Every structure is written in structure tokens, then in C-alpha cells.
Amino acid sequence: MKHTRIPVALVATMAVASLGLSACSSSKGSTAAKPSATSLAANTIKINAQPRSALKQGGTLTWAIDQYSTQWNYNQINGAEYSTDAVIEAVEPIIFRVDPATQKVTPNLNYLTGEPTVTTVAGKQTVTYNINPKAKWSDGTAISWKDFAAQWQALNGKNTKYQIGSSTGYANISSVVAGTTPQQVVVTFAQNFGDWTSLFTPLYPASAQSTPAAFNTGFLNKIPVTAGPFKIESMNATTNTVTVARDPNWWGDAAILDKIVFRAMTTDAADGAYANGEVDYLNIGPSAAGVKQAKGRADGEIREAAGPQFRHVTFNSKSPLLTDVKVRQALFQSIDRTAIANSDLKGLGWPALLLNNHFFMNNQEGYQDNAGTLGVYNPTAAKAALDAAGWKLNGQYRQKDGKTLELTFVYPDGTAVSKNESVLLQAMFAAVGVKLDISAVPSNDFFDKYVQPGKFDLTAFSWLGNAWPVSSNYSIYQSPVGSNNFQNFAWTSDPNVDSLMNKSIADTDHTQAIADANAADKAIWQDAGVFPLYQRADIYGAKKTLANLGAPQDQNEVVYENIGFTG
């Protein structure tokens, strides 16, 4: 999946969807549709790739993002969001890059002098990093082993005062020390970690991580220290904009652009702003209306590809009416995913690729269908399961112990694809005797005030992936620790899932790692917390002259200093 060093960023405002098929259409069987020749052919890199020499020096890019963040520490529990990531990766160290075509991970030579050395010392996996001696923070401090050590101490999970989004990989480390110089970092693992290249990206300064207070609040409503091709020029919560400017102290290739203005907007507003030429780049998502509107812009174009991301419905197992896994499993079977996918994707020409795996996409190595009967639309079975769980029909809806099985679906206002899904789910649930209320909440509050604290029964958004499918998704399914759910917004707790995921990320044998991931996935399906819907397309609107940015691109595939315009 994408976006995650801290494992996975969320995208809520994924565009408009038309109300297409009715909720009563059915899908037979749990086998996900295979990628068509069209979808696989589209899985190329649509970024208008251009050499730096072909680009006009200077200019400002206006980039639409889905919300104005308050927490800019991406590793903090409230920070792992697309909007945060898009900004942070322009200004903070991304020590590894992923080739978008091959998914090969390579060191970013602006921060490392070369490929880290991996050895076994006293039976322990050891990784030695050599930091580029030119690399420094905006306060003048050299980037050193201390930054790596502080990030490990903050994210290893031992001190629960650090409100972290994930301890994946960091919990496997036993020590981080200086090597022969302060710019050499020696990381020793207590347990092997196959995805070690996913760690320390983005890297934050030791000053922002050395204490829980610094970690939790040091980047709250501000980005005080940077070390990237751009620096912060302004942050305005009133206009919902963050402006970054070319940093003259950057030691790498100078940024082509003068500035990037990140402008937070609801999906509906962003579509109109792009069509009117107010923004140059936005994530349209699976929206026929949005694509149609974008196509009306004479100097714009659509850049689309089969992205490593998926729509899903999350069920909050802490919700009083959803604590019974049998009820959640029954609700899985009451959902017609084909109807939802066809409705969300209507008019786009993309196949409805139902997804029956929580780690791997349909067109990724390792994918297999692990859904079983829970992936089959079967309202008859759902009714029987709800009856068996003690929820009996009393008129239109089911009741138990005097309570009605009444749930609330929460979604960010201005996100038509989520509204569409809520209306379809409402009809599907009603068909099995479950009442579903729909609540639209402010887009900027959706994750921080509703999803993260668990103030919902059901919700839907997209998870984005990257080159580390298991470790980057680990925090979505790991058992919560106390009040920290990491990114497990379903609040499911399953030691078997934890054990299998731990084994997978520790496997150094690639085939065995995939096998263990699929074993974990089978158990995750049975826990019935996250219900994958379909693999969604990556569809962006871009000004025609915009180069080296497009779809599909994880942010750590974006070379920000190479973004520019051809004319």
C-alpha cells in the first residue's frame, strides 16, 4: 500500500460518485474480478516525465489537498494523512525512494552516501547508514545518528507517552548508535525486519522527538525545522493553505519551482477550482462527474493509472452494537460490493475490481482471495446470522433487549463518493432489518475528531499503499495498546493476527513472507473490522505543462525538486 513509513496515510475526500446501480443488485461468489487488459495497461506512470533541462525555471504550483492538517508530525497518531504527507515530503528528509515502475527501493543520495550495509553481527541483523555530510537541518544542525536514535526511541512503543501511529519495525530494533563518525548510524535489530528500508522516512530532527511533549506538540500547527528542497514560507489556517518556497540552503539539485501552494479544499470545491484554473493539480478519484468537469479545462489533462489503493468500510468494534463479531460478519454479507463499485465507478471506464485481500492489490505479487463466505453478498445468510445473534425483527428493524439495531455512518461533508456509499449501504442494511443513519461531519475534523477517537459506527475512506505492503499496513490491523489504536480504527484485537504479521515482517525469505501475510489476512477477514470494497483507480487532473507529477505516485516516488512546468 502507499504512503506510509508510518504505515498508511488516509484519504477521505476521494471525489464525487454518481448514484448508479440500485442497492438490490447482486454479486455472486467471492472471487474478485481479475484485472482487465485495460486496467493493467493503464498501470504505468503518468507523470509527464521530463528532464530538468526541459523545464522552465521558476513558477508556482497550486496543489489541492483534502484537508488542512493541524498535526504535521507524520509519525504522530493524528499525522498520518495524505494532506500532511504531501507537504512534509517537500520539506523533510525522505531517505529512500521507490522507482514507480519497478518498485525498487534505492537510497536518496541527498541524505545517504550510498546503499546502507546490511550484515549479521552476533546473530543480529545490523544496518549501517552513512549520512551525506552536506545534509543539515534548517537550524544549521547536521543530520546525524542522533536524529535516527531519537526517532527509534519515540516510535519503538516502549514509552506510551509518545502518541505514535505505528511502532512497526522500530519495535524490532535493539539499538541505534553512532559508528565511526556522527554521520554514520549503526542500527541493530533484536528481531529481523525484512522491510528495514521503510524506516526513518520521513526523518524528523532529534529536537522534535527527544521528549513526548516535543513529539506530540512540536509540530502541532507548525513546521519549525526542515531539511528538504523546499522550506516553509507560510501556513494559514484561515485560507487553508501551506506555501513552501525553494530553499537556497538546500545542498542538492535546486528546486525548479519557486513555490508550491498546498490548498486544502473539499472534493466538490477542488473539482470546480481545477476546472476554473485556480489549482494546477488535484486528486479527482473515482468520480465521473469530477473527470467530466476536469476535461472541460482547455489547458488541463487527466492522468490516470491503476493505483495501489482501495476503498473500504471500517466497522468500529468498540461501538456497543458492534462488539459481537457475528453481527459484524453478518453485516459484511449484507453488503453488495459490486453494486457499490459499479456505482462509484460509473462512467469512468474502469472495471470494478473487488478486493479480497487486506495487504495485496489484485495486480500485486502475493494477491490471493482470502475472503471466503464473508466476501459473498448473501442477505439471506446475513438475516440468519443476525437472528442467531439474538437480533430479531420487530417491524421494519431488528431489536434485542429492547434496543434497535441502529447504526451511524459518518463521512466527511463534501465527499460525494462517501455520501453515495452511505445511501447504498443504508438500503442494503434496511433489507436485512438494520437501521443506518447518515452523518456528514466537517471535512477538516473527519479523521482527528471522529475516526481517530472512534466516534462512529461505520465509515469509509481509501487506504493508500506503497512498496512495503505488509509493514505499511501493519498498524491498521495490529491490536491496540491501551488507548492507542495506532491506525486500527476498527479497534479489533487479535493476538493471532499480531503473531502472523510479526512473522511476515521478520521473514527474510520473500515467498514465506507472502505466505505468512496471507495467513494473517485470512484471520483479519474473520475479525470483520475492515471490509475492502474495490481497488480504486488513481485519477488526477493536471495542467498539461506540469511535469514529473501525476499518477500513480506514492509521495516517496515524487522528486519534489524536479517538479516544474514545460512552458
Side-chain angles (χ1 to χ4, degrees):
M1 312 303 339
K2 172 174 175 181
H3 272 152
T4 45
R5 315 2 111 178
I6 210 180
V8 181
L10 336 134
V11 174
T13 54
M14 275 306 184
V16 185
S18 57
L19 288 171
L21 301 182
S22 68
C24 60
S25 63
S26 65
S27 58
K28 303 296 184 181
S30 67
T31 302
K34 298 299 181 184
S36 69
T38 300
S39 69
L40 287 177
N43 194 16
T44 55
I45 312 308
K46 304 293 181 63
I47 64 171
N48 186 22
Q50 300 288 339
R52 289 171 55 88
S53 60
L55 302 181
K56 180 181 70 174
Q57 288 294 317
T60 298
L61 166 67
T62 303
W63 180 332
I65 55 177
D66 59 344
Q67 69 174 42
Y68 185 86
S69 298
T70 55
Q71 178 56 261
W72 298 96
N73 179 352
Y74 189 71
N75 297 323
Q76 206 269 353
I77 194 167
N78 292 321
E81 299 164 353
Y82 168 76
S83 53
T84 304
D85 195 25
V87 175
I88 286 299
E89 297 205 11
V91 299
E92 303 294 5
I94 305 303
I95 68 170
F96 285 97
R97 285 184 172 144
V98 180
D99 183 285
T102 66
Q103 291 294 289
K104 181 180 179 181
V105 181
T106 57
N108 184 342
L109 299 181
N110 291 308
Y111 300 105
L112 301 177
T113 61
E115 188 76 37
T117 302
V118 183
T119 58
T120 301
V121 178
K124 302 296 184 181
Q125 179 187 19
T126 302
V127 181
T128 302
Y129 304 78
N130 288 294
I131 300 170
N132 185 334
K134 296 180 181 179
K136 62 181 180 180
W137 299 103
S138 57
D139 62 6
T141 305
I143 297 177
S144 74
W145 73 275
K146 293 180 181 179
D147 304 305
F148 285 70
Q151 189 143 323
W152 162 59
Q153 293 282 11
L155 299 179
N156 63 21
K158 292 182 179 180
N159 186 343
T160 57
K161 291 182 179 179
Y162 286 94
Q163 298 169 358
I164 63 175
S166 173
S167 62
T168 306
Y170 296 99
N172 293 49
I173 297 173
S174 59
S175 69
V176 177
V177 299
T180 57
T181 72
Q183 274 63 53
Q184 188 175 76
V185 190
V186 180
V187 178
T188 302
F189 291 82
Q191 295 87 33
N192 285 349
F193 182 58
D195 286 348
W196 59 270
T197 54
S198 67
L199 302 177
F200 305 110
T201 291
L203 182 68
Y204 282 86
S207 61
Q209 308 183 88
S210 296
T211 67
F215 181 86
N216 295 328
T217 65
F219 273 64
L220 193 62
N221 297 312
K222 59 185 177 182
I223 303 176
V225 183
T226 60
F230 290 89
K231 64 179 181 178
I232 299 298
E233 180 176 276
S234 65
M235 302 179 71
N236 192 322
T238 301
T239 60
N240 288 328
T241 58
V242 178
T243 301
V244 300
R246 182 193 297 120
D247 190 343
N249 296 318
W250 169 246
W251 53 93
D253 290 335
I256 298 291
L257 293 169
D258 292 323
K259 298 179 182 182
I260 302 175
V261 178
F262 296 94
R263 184 177 170 189
M265 313 173 76
T266 67
T267 302
D268 295 348
D271 289 344
Y274 173 78
N276 294 332
E278 298 172 37
V279 299
D280 304 305
Y281 179 67
L282 85 156
N283 187 340
I284 298 173
S287 165
V291 169
K292 182 179 180 180
Q293 192 171 13
K295 285 182 176 179
R297 179 171 172 173
D299 67 343
E301 65 183 9
I302 303 300
R303 297 177 184 175
E304 57 186 349
Q309 52 189 281
F310 67 97
R311 291 293 294 181
H312 76 280
V313 177
T314 283
F315 291 74
N316 182 2
S317 68
K318 285 205 313 180
S319 173
L321 299 181
L322 293 174
T323 57
D324 186 347
V325 67
K326 298 298 184 183
V327 171
R328 301 197 303 273
Q329 290 175 345
L331 293 175
F332 271 32
Q333 291 184 293
S334 72
I335 297 175
D336 185 346
R337 293 185 295 165
T338 296
I340 292 175
N342 285 338
S343 181
D344 282 357
L345 300 172
K346 185 179 180 182
L348 291 174
W350 283 86
L353 301 179
L354 300 187
L355 188 67
N356 289 328
N357 198 296
H358 293 83
F359 295 112
F360 305 106
M361 297 298 96
N362 289 279
N363 53 344
Q364 282 185 316
E365 180 188 7
Y367 180 83
Q368 69 181 41
D369 180 348
N370 294 318
T373 58
L374 294 181
V376 179
Y377 173 52
N378 191 337
T380 300
K383 292 175 184 178
L386 290 170
D387 283 338
W391 291 97
K392 306 292 186 180
L393 271 178
N394 184 2
Q396 185 179 358
Y397 298 114
R398 295 178 180 273
Q399 291 187 331
K400 180 180 180 180
D401 300 329
K403 294 182 179 180
T404 299
L405 188 49
E406 182 175 1
L407 306 171
T408 300
F409 181 96
V410 174
Y411 77 93
D413 196 16
T415 309
V417 66
S418 296
K419 181 178 180 180
N420 177 41
E421 290 161 352
S422 70
V423 172
L424 294 175
L425 287 169
Q426 188 177 56
M428 294 171 190
F429 281 13
V432 298
V434 178
K435 185 176 183 181
L436 185 66
D437 301 320
I438 299 171
S439 175
V441 301
S443 178
N444 283 347
D445 295 338
F446 176 62
F447 285 117
D448 294 351
K449 295 184 179 180
Y450 290 90
V451 177
Q452 178 60 46
K455 294 181 179 179
F456 68 96
D457 295 319
L458 293 85
T459 191
F461 51 89
S462 293
W463 281 117
L464 311 184
N466 61 22
W468 305 279
V470 180
S471 62
S472 70
N473 286 276
Y474 184 101
S475 62
I476 305 174
Y477 311 113
Q478 72 178 105
S479 296
V481 176
S483 61
N484 190 347
N485 66 353
F486 304 100
Q487 290 182 306
N488 182 350
F489 302 130
W491 287 92
T492 52
S493 183
D494 189 335
N496 183 43
V497 169
D498 295 335
S499 177
L500 289 166
M501 289 197 302
N502 284 335
K503 187 174 185 309
S504 179
I505 63 176
D507 287 328
T508 55
D509 179 87
H510 183 62
T511 301
Q512 187 61 48
I514 288 174
D516 289 331
N518 277 307
D521 184 52
K522 291 178 182 178
I524 291 168
W525 272 102
Q526 294 305 308
D527 289 336
V530 176
F531 189 43
L533 296 175
Y534 58 89
Q535 182 178 354
R536 63 178 293 278
D538 230 344
I539 305 176
Y540 287 80
K543 191 174 181 179
K544 288 180 180 179
T545 56
L546 177 63
N548 300 324
L549 188 64
Q553 269 190 306
D554 181 7
Q555 294 313 109
N556 68 340
E557 296 163 2
V558 176
V559 183
Y560 279 73
E561 59 266 36
N562 290 351
I563 300 172
F565 295 97
T566 56

